[in-house]
Amino acid sequence: MHRLLIAEDIPAIAAYIENIAHDVGIDAIKLVDSIESARAAITFAPDVAVIDLNLADGFTGPLIADELHRRCDTRVVYLTANPDLLPEAHHISHKVLRKPLIARELHDALLGTFPEVVA
């Protein structure tokens, strides 16, 4: 079973991402909206995380990505309206998708992180 963490503070966007993940065949999903809720979910040990840069507690997306990658070897897909704010190292080591989200792009990014999942 694949585990996906969604770090997004806008409920409608989080639900949209969750629906796309279900369409891809991912059924273990955890939703968080801040660094504190992400830290509380670390035992979930997600395989991949879709992370917005700016969450309810500010510009904490990169911190969440760093912690998940370091502690759980989580692959990260950033979802942001402001990719220029992301440090260059994150562009190299993680996938970056621009808001407004295009469902097909996220669908393809999730399939790329879980190549054995067939949608």
Side-chain angles (χ1 to χ4, degrees), residues 30-52:
K30 184 84 167 171
L31 302 172
V32 299
D33 66 356
S34 67
I35 197 164
E36 289 307 314
S37 59
R39 285 182 176 145
I42 203 81
T43 58
F44 179 65
D47 300 297
V48 70
V50 176
I51 301 176
D52 188 8

Side-chain angles (χ1 to χ4, degrees), residues 1-4 25-29 44 47 75 114 116-117:
M1 179 186 324
H2 301 295
R3 294 174 310 280
L4 171 69
I26 301 167
D27 53 2
I29 299 171
F44 179 65
D47 300 297
R75 291 165 295 216
F114 301 122
E116 67 280 4
V117 174

Side-chain angles (χ1 to χ4, degrees), residues 64-77:
I64 292 169
D66 287 344
E67 191 161 335
L68 287 171
H69 187 69
R70 186 180 73 254
R71 293 181 63 186
C72 305
D73 198 29
T74 301
R75 291 165 295 216
V76 174
V77 176

Side-chain angles (χ1 to χ4, degrees), residues 6 8 10-23 31 79 100-106 110:
I6 300 169
E8 172 60 62
I10 300 173
I13 294 174
Y16 186 62
I17 295 167
E18 187 174 16
N19 287 335
I20 293 168
H22 284 300
D23 289 347
L31 302 172
L79 180 60
L101 176 62
I102 297 172
R104 186 85 220 159
E105 289 178 352
L106 180 59
L110 291 174

